[in-house]
Amino acid sequence: MTKIIKTEKVQAWYGTEKALNGISLDINKNKVTAIIGPSGCGKSTFIRCLNRMHEVIPGAKVTGKVLVNDVDIYSAQVDPVDIRRKIGMVFQKPNPFPTMSIFNNVASGLKLNGITDKKFVAESVEKSLKMAALWDEVKTRLHHSGMSLSGGQQQRLCIARALAVEPDILLMDEPASALDPISTLRIEELLQELKKEYTIVIVTHNMQQAARISDYTAFLLNGDLIEYDLTESMFTKPNDKRTEDYITGRFG
Amino acid sequence: MNNLQAQYNKHMIRRKATNYIMLTMMVLCAVIALIPLISILTHIGASGIKGLNLGFITNLPSPVGETGGGMGNGLVGTLILVTIASVIGIPLGVLTAIYLSEYQQIGIFPSVVRFVADSLLGIPSIVVGIFAYVVIVIPMKSFSAFAGGAALGIMLIPIIIRGTEGMLRMVPDSYREAGLALGMRKWRVIVSIVLPTAIRGIVTTIMLGIARISGETAPLLLTAFGNHYWSTRIDQPIAALPLQIFNYAISPFEEWHNQAWSGSLLLILLVLIISIVSRVATRQQKFK
Ligand SMILES: Nc1ncnc2c1ncn2[C@@H]1O[C@H](COP(=O)(O)OP(=O)(O)OP(=O)(O)O)[C@@H](O)[C@H]1O
Ligand SMILES: [Mg+2]
């Protein structure tokens, strides 16, 4: 099993406030890894450390190592821009670009990074929208504003936008929290499809979803990694009492 | 009815009355605030419209006693001065605002920049005129359009810095993060995502600044100086509408007073037209 991401004692701060107390965790290639844990435990912070998005926040700091394909992404020679092109991200709240059409939103990662081949871009937009299960709803109005979509559609638009740049790894921060059950199901199917080519790390609050879609699950609590295992083992026989309590809904 | 609702209802009448009184007061204040504005506009309109014809905006001023003179040179002069001021003020102001909002929000240097900008905003405009006189007019040994435009440009910079910074800050960080996470370079995110999102507000800020400076008289007294003849040279003294309005208004001649009113109306219309044109030009793309 190839470990595509290895983190070693990753600690993260917001100013003086520590959000992660040293997370060491290896993520397997072509698998779906779910990150679960109560609100505020550091799930978003952790996945933002994996594509160097944490440092974007003023005053935020990361220590420890994150190796992607055995390259330390925090070493001085590495350009964060290259990392982010290889590691895509879907955020907790949908954030389509307000001045762009649906088409341009999906195309933005290509066009604004210098891809000029119109045919290639158009095909890529269609493919990405289909993968994100949005194509049928928007194919007749690709040039309307991205903001004219419903919240759930906007989130799928953001997923399409992230897919269009064809990253190797996709980080998803509760991508389904604003979606109805049918779109959620389609996203879940999409993940199963995607993991043939991509590696997916997904934050979720929904235990059933984690159990359904993920191969591995990591449980975070107050900035610590409590347990990390095959999803099947974790949900049937958790090793830690706190994991069990959380999964069975006794707290969190 | 439970206890809590009973408590709510107890104060119902008083709250409704308070609400009503406050609302009336706010509407009243709004009306009072509008009175001077509307009366200035109607008075200028009524007094200025008589003399405002094609000749007025194409002719040179005529000597006292002769009719048919205009402020054509003043109009052209003001356009040139405002253009020089914009060429200086807009890039400096907008780039400084981008620096403050996108690159360095906190720290000693940004705080100093903000403090200086705020102080500049409060400086009397005659002082800016004297400054331009000392650093430009004296070394060049001549009053000039350039000195006048520079003085106005100096006044424009802080207005644009503070306004534009505010507009950029209103763009939610989530858009910047979305761009960065797609692997865009920072300047690309600024140019293609942040600026387009804020552009209307930025243009409004710039227009307010231009409206503000195009009516300034004091900074021009010692710089552009005024000119009775056509001039488009930036190294020579140049006419300006506010200067001409000022000179005519303090003259003892009835005819010139009327021309001052027409000049004021012309100035207002000029600002209005610039403002409308720039708004149309940056109109948000309408999605069907
Ligand atoms: N921008 C920020 N500035 C300061 N503190 C922050 C910031 N973002 C998060 N934090 C703090 O860091 C800790 C971890 O936050 P994080 O967003 O990673 O939680 P989470 O597990 O994603 O929660 P949720 O499930 O609610 O999204 C929290 O205590 C939070 O208050
Ligand atoms: Mg979160």
Side-chain angles (χ1 to χ4, degrees), chain A residues 120-136:
Chain A
F120 177 83
V121 170
E123 283 170 4
S124 167
V125 167
E126 179 172 344
K127 195 174 99 194
S128 310
L129 282 169
K130 278 181 174 158
M131 282 204 281
L134 188 60
W135 175 252
D136 290 331

Side-chain angles (χ1 to χ4, degrees), chain A residues 43-44 92 173-174 203:
Chain A
K43 304 181 294 296
S44 300
Q92 199 161 358
D173 200 343
E174 285 193 69
V203 171

Side-chain angles (χ1 to χ4, degrees), chain B residues 219-237:
Chain B
L220 300 181
L221 292 170
L222 293 170
T223 52
F225 192 71
N227 193 329
H228 288 297
Y229 304 101
W230 293 109
S231 170
T232 49
R233 292 187 52 174
I234 67 166
D235 59 345
Q236 293 296 315

